[in-house]
Amino acid sequence: AHMTTKLTFVIISIFLLLISCDKKQSNLEFEKSVANEIFPALLDSVFYDTRLTPPPPPPPNSEWSDSTAIKWDKYKMIAEFEKRKAEIEKDTTKLVIAIVDSTYQINERAKKELIDFYKDFEIELDTLNIKESYKIKLTDLKHADKFKLKYRSELPATSKVWKGDYDFYLSGITGFSRIQFDRTKNYGVMISGFGCGRLCGFSGLVFIRKINGKWIIDKIKVTAIS
């Protein structure tokens, strides 16, 4: 009888362990599905096309003198900008976006900001441990047809990435963190950003929520600019 009791205990322990593993897996699968669903809107929101740099502002009046050779022609510059914009919009060249291979870590600031941002809804943080990163699967990420995704690890490390002699146009680098949800899993925050050059880019907090069964971006709050 003692042996039977011990065997029953072992079987129950294994069963509980399997349930726990399955729940952990399903939580992560749920989070991945949300990240994949929000990604097209995220990329569209953070993307900055450096080919479309607007015309510079006119210099201050104090710099003008009769000897100034180049006169400021606002209308000509705007016309050139609009012409360039039209050319780029017709261009079918794929814009390569490098995706940081694994998710960033979420931080305490993001958690506090999530509660504050949705304070009207009196949300409570989900207590699930999300410290571990996971490898992002590029084939799961949907995006506009003009983009092509590559892993960041396929390109040179550090700022040398912007000096590479590629047979494609590197348009930017992005990535995203694990998602901190509330207990109801209807609100969340993630960290993302966009790099478009050595001194061109930003990072910020992305507040997301579920409306009518669909995840939307409520706001991107910029926290750092380079």
Side-chain angles (χ1 to χ4, degrees):
H2 178 68
M3 192 69 186
T4 309
T5 309
K6 198 172 179 183
L7 188 63
T8 306
F9 176 74
V10 169
I11 289 167
I12 289 169
S13 298
I14 291 168
F15 180 67
L16 290 172
L17 184 69
L18 288 171
I19 287 174
S20 170
C21 288
D22 189 50
K23 192 173 180 192
K24 189 178 177 184
Q25 186 67 12
S26 62
N27 276 322
L28 183 58
E29 290 308 315
F30 168 75
E31 184 185 331
K32 285 180 180 178
S33 73
V34 175
N36 296 341
E37 185 185 334
I38 210 83
F39 183 77
L42 179 65
L43 182 54
D44 199 47
S45 300
V46 299
F47 174 69
Y48 172 67
D49 196 336
T50 51
R51 301 173 303 169
L52 269 178
T53 305
N61 289 334
S62 59
E63 290 183 18
W64 290 109
S65 69
D66 292 338
S67 62
T68 305
I70 301 166
K71 292 292 179 189
W72 176 259
D73 189 340
K74 181 175 77 172
Y75 299 105
K76 186 182 174 186
M77 285 199 164
I78 290 171
E80 283 174 359
F81 172 70
E82 291 298 333
K83 184 185 171 191
R84 177 85 181 120
K85 189 178 173 186
E87 284 169 1
I88 286 168
E89 280 166 0
K90 283 182 202 164
D91 191 351
T92 56
T93 306
K94 295 280 184 188
L95 304 176
V96 170
I97 305 290
I99 306 288
V100 177
D101 300 39
S102 296
T103 51
Y104 311 139
Q105 278 208 334
I106 201 86
N107 55 37
E108 290 305 311
R109 176 184 177 173
K111 294 178 183 183
K112 285 173 186 162
E113 295 250 10
L114 174 63
I115 293 172
D116 188 52
F117 188 78
Y118 291 116
K119 61 178 179 286
D120 293 349
F121 301 96
E122 296 179 351
I123 65 166
E124 290 179 28
L125 293 182
D126 187 6
T127 55
L128 196 70
N129 181 359
I130 54 168
K131 285 184 179 173
E132 286 180 33
S133 294
Y134 68 81
K135 171 114 187 234
I136 293 166
K137 198 173 172 186
L138 294 188
T139 50
D140 286 346
L141 301 178
K142 294 183 176 69
H143 52 83
D145 194 46
K146 65 181 176 180
F147 297 120
K148 184 181 177 185
L149 308 183
K150 278 185 180 292
Y151 279 120
R152 173 68 182 86
S153 60
E154 293 175 37
L155 304 171
T158 68
S159 59
K160 288 177 182 173
V161 68
W162 304 112
K163 295 175 182 173
D165 186 20
Y166 311 120
D167 57 356
F168 55 84
Y169 179 69
L170 178 61
S171 198
I173 298 170
T174 189
F176 53 86
S177 71
R178 295 289 305 264
I179 303 172
Q180 174 65 58
F181 290 105
D182 76 308
R183 281 182 188 267
T184 68
K185 287 192 164 63
N186 284 306
Y187 304 90
V189 66
M190 61 205 299
I191 298 166
S192 187
F194 192 77
C196 42
R198 204 168 63 81
L199 291 171
C200 170
F202 78 96
S203 62
L205 300 173
V206 184
F207 299 99
I208 62 174
R209 72 164 145 162
K210 200 176 190 178
I211 296 180
N212 300 326
K214 286 190 167 48
W215 284 92
I216 61 135
I217 293 173
D218 252 339
K219 184 182 178 181
I220 295 180
K221 181 181 178 181
V222 176
T223 54
I225 296 173
S226 62

